[in-house]
Amino acid sequence: MQFRTCVKPLPGRKGLITHGEPLLLIGSCFSDNIGVKLRDELFEVTVNPFGPIYNPCSILRALECLKEADEVKPSDLFEHCGIWHSFMFHSRYSADNPQKAAEIMTKRIKEGGRTLREAKVIMLTLGNTKVYYHNSSEAPVANCHKLPGNEFTTSIPGVDETATILNDICATIREVNPDAEIIFTVSPLRYLGDGAHANQIAKATLLLAVDHTVATHQHTEYFPAYEIMMDDLRDYRFYADDMKHPSEMAVNYIYDIFRGSYFDDTTVSTAEAAAKLTRRLSHRILTTAGNEAESETNARRRQGEKLLSTYPKLLRAYKRYNINEI
């Protein structure tokens, strides 16, 4: 007797994701989880140019910004507790002076815009439905930066409105990249700020809206990250200590199903070889005594050269990884 419901890889999609083909991931922090895996396997991936974004409305605004290649000006930013922020960006891109913050954010927009136009696959991870609007501008925000709640008004779109937003997301992508494959997924993270029932309503709204979108748009599909967490990994041992985020074990399990869905055998073997190198590169050299550090540095360089001679498609991703630009 089998005591769990196993979610199997999607049929007929092997080979959709390959090395040497740009990928764009936008959405909740689960996009970051998957993005780290792809980066470590030396895929050409751009992950969350604005930082994590959770609701479809803010994701649409982000894609519009990438499409237009908007430049962030210091006058677009605001100061809070000595740090300059943008409502479009996560605080990881904030800075202690507006010029520096604007330059960092503009660089991310330019990079994300290029990837939006070139990407073979664009993956959008939807987290929840609640939208925050800043009262003075009436624009949706991706991050409130811990400003007082009375500076914002919230809205919770229903299924029809959410489906319309997803339709607009597809249209925005198609304007600059007609051939991209769009993968929607719903984040397995539980958003419990408004209670368990509100979380389930939000997830149900997203699932219904995505289902409608996939049924009406070509080259779109759904990857069941949420279902894997809820039905396959149906146990609190697969959650992190906060009992909301998937644990590292759960992320690895979901990623294995993602790989089994979209990687062919050649891509799998290339990814494994790439990951072996990046694991070594990620280890800090602990000593500078004698020739040990130089010897290890040369060994890493030789391993990288050997990998690239075998898999030349990894060159651009390897360069980005090696200079910590990703």
Side-chain angles (χ1 to χ4, degrees):
M1 182 177 293
Q2 188 170 343
F3 289 98
R4 48 188 287 246
T5 303
C6 294
V7 177
K8 297 181 180 179
L10 303 179
R13 303 303 286 158
K14 287 184 181 294
L16 179 63
I17 294 177
T18 60
H19 290 90
E21 297 280 358
L23 308 170
L24 176 63
L25 273 62
I26 292 180
S28 79
C29 50
F30 188 71
S31 290
D32 288 337
N33 296 148
I34 297 299
V36 167
K37 304 291 183 185
L38 291 167
R39 285 170 172 169
D40 288 348
E41 293 175 350
L42 295 183
F43 288 90
E44 290 184 34
V45 59
T46 298
V47 183
N48 276 339
F50 299 87
I53 302 177
Y54 298 96
N55 68 81
C57 188
S58 295
I59 290 174
L60 172 60
R61 190 181 180 204
L63 287 166
E64 290 171 341
C65 182
L66 295 182
K67 184 191 75 172
E68 300 298 333
D70 291 342
E71 180 178 345
V72 179
K73 301 179 179 64
S75 58
D76 297 329
L77 308 180
F78 68 93
E79 184 269 336
H80 180 61
C81 296
I83 303 296
W84 291 86
H85 304 281
S86 165
F87 286 123
M88 284 292 295
F89 284 83
H90 189 272
S91 58
R92 67 176 69 157
Y93 303 119
S94 301
D96 57 5
N97 74 75
Q99 186 64 42
K100 180 180 177 182
E103 289 174 358
I104 293 170
M105 295 170 187
T106 298
K107 181 179 178 181
R108 293 296 290 165
I109 289 174
K110 300 302 183 186
E111 178 190 356
R114 286 193 300 269
T115 308
L116 174 62
R117 286 165 170 76
E118 299 172 359
K120 178 182 178 182
V121 175
I122 297 172
M123 182 173 173
L124 305 171
T125 303
L126 312 176
N128 58 28
T129 53
K130 180 182 283 189
V131 186
Y132 289 84
Y133 294 87
H134 193 237
N135 293 334
S136 63
S137 65
E138 298 184 351
V141 304
N143 199 303
C144 296
H145 296 290
K146 299 182 179 179
L147 292 179
N150 60 11
E151 293 192 22
F152 302 92
T153 300
T154 60
S155 174
I156 302 178
V159 174
D160 291 342
E161 187 177 352
T162 301
T164 298
I165 295 169
L166 297 186
N167 179 74
D168 292 342
I169 284 174
C170 292
T172 300
I173 292 171
R174 297 286 177 236
E175 284 184 42
V176 295
N177 192 338
D179 300 322
E181 296 283 340
I182 302 173
I183 300 174
F184 286 101
T185 193
V186 172
S187 171
L189 171 63
R190 302 163 70 226
Y191 297 89
L192 300 177
D194 295 321
H197 180 65
N199 174 68
Q200 291 299 89
I201 294 296
K203 299 297 189 186
T205 299
L206 293 171
L207 290 168
L208 289 167
V210 168
D211 192 61
H212 179 271
T213 303
V214 169
T216 54
H217 287 268
Q218 292 184 332
H219 304 295
T220 62
E221 63 183 82
Y222 176 70
F223 177 75
Y226 178 76
E227 289 80 357
I228 296 169
M229 193 72 196
M230 294 297 106
D231 295 323
D232 195 338
L233 304 179
R234 200 182 182 95
D235 194 298
Y236 274 108
R237 66 194 168 107
F238 296 115
Y239 283 89
D241 290 345
D242 65 1
M243 294 297 148
K244 295 185 292 185
H245 289 77
S247 68
E248 183 178 358
M249 181 189 301
V251 171
N252 289 338
Y253 184 85
I254 296 171
Y255 184 66
D256 282 345
I257 297 176
F258 181 85
R259 280 168 49 117
S261 298
Y262 298 119
F263 296 6
D264 60 21
D265 291 344
T266 299
T267 301
V268 169
S269 62
T270 305
E272 290 173 350
K276 186 179 295 185
L277 172 63
T278 58
R279 279 195 298 270
R280 185 172 190 175
L281 292 176
S282 68
H283 291 159
R284 185 164 59 91
I285 300 175
L286 297 177
T287 179
T288 58
N291 296 321
E292 291 183 24
E294 182 179 358
S295 176
E296 172 62 17
T297 298
N298 290 334
R300 294 180 181 191
R301 177 178 49 78
R302 289 192 298 270
Q303 186 177 347
E305 291 172 350
K306 181 178 179 181
L307 179 72
L308 294 176
S309 68
T310 307
Y311 305 105
K313 287 185 177 182
L314 301 180
L315 179 59
R316 287 198 298 181
Y318 173 71
K319 285 183 176 179
R320 292 179 67 196
Y321 188 95
N322 211 30
I323 60 177
N324 298 316
E325 283 193 356
I326 58 176

